[in-house]
Amino acid sequence: EISWHPDGQQLAVGVGQDLYLYPLRHEFGWAGTIVCRGHQAGVVYVGWHPTLPLVASSAHDGTTIFWDARAGRRLMTVPGHFK
C-alpha cells in the first residue's frame, strides 16, 4: 500500500509488517526514512489525516495503528479493525 499525505510532502509505504514514511525536503529530495513497526501481519491499507502529521495503517492482523508521522511513534492501536 502506498499513500501520499494530502500536502504532498510525505509518502507512506506499507512493506510487509512495517510502515515506511518518507518525508520530502523541498527540492532536495527525501529527508530520511522513518520506520514504524508494530503490526504482526502485512500492512494492507495506509491513510493520512488531511491536515495533521497523523497516519493510520491497517494490517491482516486485524489491527489499525495510528502513528505520529514526524517521529514514527505509535499513538494508538485499535484491535478488530480492517480498512
Side-chain angles (χ1 to χ4, degrees), residues 21 34-36 65-76:
L21 304 176
I34 299 168
V35 182
C36 304
I65 300 177
F66 294 89
W67 307 92
D68 174 340
R70 291 176 293 198
R73 185 171 49 93
R74 184 191 324 207
L75 300 173
M76 179 188 325

Side-chain angles (χ1 to χ4, degrees), residues 1-3 5-6 11 14 21 24-25 28 32 36-37 41 44 46-47 54 56 58 60 72 74 78 80-81:
E1 178 67 31
I2 298 173
S3 179
H5 187 280
L11 178 67
L21 304 176
L24 293 177
R25 185 185 298 158
F28 300 112
C36 304
R37 293 193 167 97
V44 294
V46 177
L54 176 68
S58 295
H60 281 296
R74 184 191 324 207
V78 182
H81 288 73

Side-chain angles (χ1 to χ4, degrees), residues 38-43 57-65 77 79-82:
H39 287 293
Q40 302 302 311
V43 173
S57 58
S58 295
H60 281 296
D61 62 5
T63 63
T64 297
I65 300 177
T77 301
H81 288 73
F82 187 79

Side-chain angles (χ1 to χ4, degrees), residues 9-10 22 39:
Q9 295 300 304
Q10 197 164 18
Y22 299 95
H39 287 293

